[in-house]
Amino acid sequence: MTHSSSAQPIPTHEKFAERIFEVELERAVARANEALLALQHSDGHYRFDLEADCTIPAEYILMMHYMDEIDDQLADKIAVYLREHQCEDGGWNLYCGGNFDLSCSIKVYYALKLAGDSPDAPHMVKARQAILAHGGAARANVFTRITLALFGQIPWRGVPFIPVEIVLLPRWFPFHLSKVSYWSRTVMVPLFILCTRKPQAKNPRQIHIRELFVTPPEREKEYFSVRSPLNRVFLALDKMGRLLEHLVPASVRSRAIKKAEAWFIERLNGTDGLGGIFPAMVNGLEALELLGYPADHPYRRRAKKALEKLLVIGEDSAYCQPCLSPVWDTCLASLALMEASGGEPTDDILRALDWLKERQLSDEPGDWQDRRPNLKGGGWAFEYANPHYPDLDDTAVIGWAMHLTGLVRYRASILRAANWLEGMRSKNGGFASFDADNTHYYLNEIPFADHGALLDPPTSDLTARCITFLATVDRVGYRKVIAGGIDFLRQEQEADGSWFGRWGTNYIYGTWSVLVALEVAGEDPNQPYIRRAVEWLKSIQRPDGGWGEACGSYCDPNLAGRGCDSTSFQTAWAMLGLMAAGESSTPEVRSGAEFLLRSQREDGVWQDEVHTAPGFPRVFYLKYHGYDKYFPLWALARYRNLLHKKST
């Protein structure tokens, strides 16, 4: 008796089911592609709303009262938004599904009271009880306590000693502006002026929040808790500085204020704002007023306009964005559309890339030159304009998208970007967001840095993105940089096989980013360290076929890859990561695709309510409203293309 060694034919019903799936997949890609194209602006770019927690809109109301430039109608709409986001426990959190956050809740309570809410209203009583149960307003973080000091709610001894003379310190000194991140610099310099001059908010309605203090603020003995032995030393130096401040000569203080003023005015960035970020813009506007610039001065008018551009005003409610993300949205949307088109650079894609090409920064001065003075520029900023601060992430993704077109028209832009990125590599082989070698970790122990995000060190996701681009452009020419980056990534890999995601939530984002880079760099996917990453992604897949990770994993690594329901964008990241590791034919990727097909809306897109990324891990989170528009399209189109490739 003989047996045939040939494979058994696939039953007809299975072929039929597979054909139906392929048709549904193609239809889903077409609908998502059409929906994304419909959201493109006439000049080719994309920009989706960027939402944070309630701290930012609350601070907008506080700013209006600080300046005595109150728009009651706008404040009423922001108040609606704030009330809508109050949690069951009475307070406010930092991300969807997160725990009570004391500092956010204090600012929101104060903003609502300024907007006219009675402290006896049920929602205010509930908020106040929650705040007091967590220690009261004296236990708030540094930024909140600075706001309270500006409004006369706590004494100035309740905030760190950050005199404006800091800007005069030499480079060799343990603290220097070049040793902290770009976002820290732009926030701190105008803040130095405010905390030195110690102004009081206009607060025309003279509204206070003394009811939020367990102990009267003037009798509070200690506003600072010791975080570490080194922090204890810095706290002692902080107290010593306060005692010696009266010895600072008036001429030195005057020179320091003028230097700080010149520094942030050079970076005001027109109507796109200081640093392009809300906290820096607010500090800059308030510092301009304190320095005597009248309301009709061009600097103040532009600074105020920059803040107004961040507002999202609806019929009934409004909120303020932390910044704008047009460049980031446009380059990611371009990659998704490129995958959907099968690699064909359509006219719509080229309009997007041409819009980006016009915004490349080449000769503009930037803070990154402090470490790389002889390096020619070639990066892109995240916002519409922010010439002092191009970032490596946007630059790598834009260059990657441009290179995939194969068109000569982008060759010069790609080369400038690649040369700039190569020159921005840090000593350890990794890449950071805006600077090189921004790794003075001891500075995170100073009293001002209780948020732990003072620095911009190299991270896995940024390193992966830069490797992806450089390997795409010239794997041989950049082999030493790529090899150094891969060594960095291998050292950064977690014990479970995943990678931390600095700019996207969280380990799913980091692992996707790295696996794509390793594929493009030509790494053998069968290596043990890559297999560990693959098995980790598979192990955290949810029963519905999707993937979901909450922002809580930034506080508790045990929640890595878990903590929330499946989301479309994290499912897309996981699928893209697995496919990059050669797993396109696995049931896990198929289940992920089926989840995306089921969760796609009739209008062709997806909708996730959760926050998508950290601004600063553990203290500030973001919701990119575009992530559920382009990432699922990218993943489904990639899956479709690999299926077609396999069948031919």
Side-chain angles (χ1 to χ4, degrees):
M1 184 176 180
T2 61
H3 296 274
S4 172
S5 61
S6 61
Q8 295 297 315
I10 300 174
T12 302
H13 69 276
E14 291 185 16
K15 290 182 179 180
F16 182 69
E18 186 64 22
R19 180 56 186 156
I20 291 176
F21 173 78
E22 291 176 358
V23 170
E24 291 178 347
L25 177 61
E26 190 67 52
R27 180 171 175 267
V29 170
R31 288 168 56 216
N33 187 71
E34 182 180 357
L36 185 56
L37 288 174
L39 297 170
Q40 189 173 27
H41 290 261
S42 59
D43 61 2
H45 88 283
Y46 285 88
R47 188 189 72 75
F48 297 96
D49 291 344
L50 181 56
E51 195 172 357
D53 60 79
C54 286
T55 302
I56 300 295
E59 287 178 349
Y60 202 98
I61 292 177
L62 287 161
M63 176 198 69
M64 290 194 290
H65 284 261
Y66 175 91
M67 300 290 293
D68 192 13
E69 296 177 353
I70 303 169
D71 181 338
D72 284 319
Q73 185 176 6
L74 174 60
D76 288 344
K77 287 191 173 185
I78 294 176
V80 170
Y81 176 90
L82 296 176
R83 292 187 211 104
E84 288 175 344
H85 286 77
Q86 187 174 18
C87 300
E88 286 297 319
D89 60 15
W92 285 262
N93 55 26
L94 297 181
Y95 59 88
C96 182
N99 296 325
F100 171 91
D101 184 80
L102 178 62
S103 297
C104 177
S105 299
I106 292 166
K107 284 186 174 178
V108 175
Y109 180 96
Y110 201 178
L112 288 174
K113 195 172 180 182
L114 290 169
D117 285 17
S118 169
D120 297 324
H123 68 285
M124 296 290 277
V125 172
K126 194 174 182 181
R128 183 166 63 254
Q129 291 172 343
I131 291 168
L132 292 172
H134 286 80
R139 303 280 79 82
N141 64 23
V142 162
F143 283 112
T144 302
R145 294 205 307 274
I146 290 174
T147 298
L148 296 181
L150 288 169
F151 275 79
Q153 302 304 297
I154 66 170
W156 280 96
R157 63 180 175 83
V159 305
F161 179 61
I162 45 175
V164 71
E165 287 76 20
I166 288 174
V167 301
L168 301 178
L169 294 173
R171 292 178 184 274
W172 55 261
F173 199 79
F175 185 96
H176 187 268
L177 285 179
S178 65
K179 295 179 179 179
V180 299
S181 65
Y182 118 75
W183 56 83
S184 298
R185 276 174 242 141
T186 53
V187 168
M188 291 172 77
V189 172
L191 198 59
F192 292 159
I193 298 172
L194 292 168
C195 289
T196 298
R197 289 277 186 88
K198 299 177 175 58
Q200 289 290 293
K202 301 295 189 298
N203 193 9
R205 296 167 191 172
Q206 296 300 304
I207 294 173
H208 67 83
I209 51 168
R210 291 183 67 87
E211 67 270 22
L212 296 187
F213 290 87
V214 175
T215 301
E218 64 276 5
R219 298 213 312 263
E220 178 68 40
K221 292 182 179 180
E222 188 55 70
Y223 281 93
F224 299 93
S225 59
V226 177
R227 305 194 303 270
S228 69
L230 182 57
N231 176 246
R232 185 187 297 276
V233 173
F234 281 125
L235 286 171
L237 293 173
D238 182 276
K239 291 180 180 179
M240 184 183 300
R242 295 175 198 273
L243 293 173
L244 299 177
E245 184 180 15
H246 69 281
L247 299 178
V248 176
S251 60
V252 173
R253 174 140 294 178
S254 177
R255 181 159 61 94
I257 289 176
K258 288 180 180 178
K259 184 172 182 178
E261 177 184 357
W263 190 95
F264 84 82
I265 284 177
E266 178 188 340
R267 294 161 176 78
L268 277 178
N269 194 27
T271 60
D272 291 289
L274 177 60
I277 53 176
F278 176 85
M281 293 183 200
V282 170
N283 291 345
L285 178 64
E286 293 177 357
L288 286 172
E289 188 271 339
L290 180 61
L291 291 169
Y293 289 86
D296 60 352
H297 192 282
Y299 291 163
R300 276 189 61 177
R301 285 192 286 105
R302 292 170 194 152
K304 187 174 182 180
K305 179 63 176 177
L307 285 160
E308 291 172 346
K309 287 167 65 174
L310 297 177
L311 293 169
V312 177
I313 303 175
E315 184 176 342
D316 300 314
S317 68
Y319 67 90
C320 182
Q321 302 172 91
C323 58
L324 301 177
S325 57
V327 172
W328 186 238
D329 284 329
T330 302
C331 61
L332 289 172
S334 298
L335 282 171
L337 292 169
M338 183 77 75
E339 195 70 56
S341 71
E344 180 68 26
T346 65
D347 289 342
D348 295 304
I349 296 170
L350 295 180
R351 283 195 303 121
L353 295 179
D354 286 346
W355 183 87
L356 290 168
K357 180 182 177 181
E358 295 173 359
R359 283 153 182 81
Q360 188 173 24
L361 303 168
S362 298
D363 301 322
E364 295 81 358
D367 286 6
W368 58 270
Q369 293 169 321
D370 184 85
R371 293 275 181 174
R372 299 291 187 268
N374 299 317
L375 179 63
K376 292 184 178 180
W380 277 268
F382 180 83
E383 304 85 357
Y384 284 107
N386 197 6
H388 273 81
Y389 303 108
D391 76 270
L392 281 68
D393 214 355
D394 282 271
T395 301
V397 175
I398 294 168
W400 180 19
M402 287 181 169
H403 188 271
L404 290 178
T405 68
L407 298 176
V408 175
R409 68 206 271 183
Y410 301 121
R411 186 173 297 169
S413 294
I414 293 168
L415 182 59
R416 287 199 302 272
N419 289 339
W420 184 68
L421 286 179
E422 180 186 26
M424 290 297 291
R425 181 177 58 153
S426 292
K427 293 176 183 177
N428 61 8
F431 293 82
S433 303
F434 298 89
D435 289 294
D437 299 313
N438 196 258
T439 53
H440 300 275
Y441 293 106
Y442 62 87
L443 291 176
N444 276 330
E445 298 300 325
I446 66 175
F448 177 81
D450 65 349
H451 55 299
L454 202 67
L455 307 176
D456 180 19
T459 60
S460 297
D461 46 348
L462 262 295
T463 301
R465 209 86 68 229
C466 292
I467 289 175
T468 300
F469 170 50
L470 294 175
T472 300
V473 173
D474 188 352
R475 188 192 299 178
V476 176
Y478 294 110
R479 62 184 180 279
K480 291 184 178 179
V481 178
I482 294 169
I486 292 175
D487 287 343
F488 172 84
L489 292 174
R490 296 190 70 158
Q491 294 172 19
E492 290 290 304
Q493 189 175 26
E494 304 290 333
D496 61 11
S498 66
W499 278 273
F500 179 83
R502 167 61 181 88
W503 294 102
T505 307
N506 172 354
Y507 294 92
I508 296 175
Y509 180 88
T511 305
W512 155 62
S513 302
V514 173
L515 288 177
V516 170
L518 296 176
E519 177 195 29
V520 177
E523 287 286 281
D524 182 355
N526 293 314
Q527 293 182 81
Y529 83 104
I530 296 179
R531 299 320 303 169
R532 291 207 317 274
V534 168
E535 292 309 312
W536 179 79
L537 278 175
K538 290 181 178 181
S539 73
I540 60 167
Q541 188 172 24
R542 296 181 61 80
D544 61 7
W547 279 263
E549 180 176 2
C551 295
S553 62
Y554 286 104
C555 297
D556 181 4
N558 292 320
L559 294 175
R562 299 179 172 86
C564 75
D565 294 336
S566 297
T567 66
S568 66
F569 62 93
Q570 288 171 324
T571 299
W573 294 341
M575 288 176 60
L576 289 166
L578 288 172
M579 288 186 283
E583 298 287 310
S584 61
S585 298
T586 61
E588 289 83 4
V589 174
R590 173 63 172 257
S591 294
E594 291 172 345
F595 169 80
L596 291 180
L597 294 182
R598 292 195 307 272
S599 56
Q600 187 180 27
R601 301 192 320 180
E602 284 300 317
D603 59 4
V605 299
W606 291 258
Q607 185 170 349
D608 297 304
E609 300 301 330
V610 301
H611 286 68
T612 61
F616 309 121
R618 299 185 300 278
V619 294
F620 185 62
Y621 299 94
L622 305 169
K623 179 182 178 183
Y624 288 86
H625 285 238
Y627 277 19
D628 50 16
K629 311 295 187 300
Y630 40 73
F631 278 121
L633 168 61
W634 188 353
L636 286 178
R638 179 71 172 160
Y639 184 55
R640 177 205 62 184
N641 294 342
L642 289 174
L643 287 180
H644 288 177
K645 183 178 180 180
K646 180 182 176 182
S647 63
T648 57

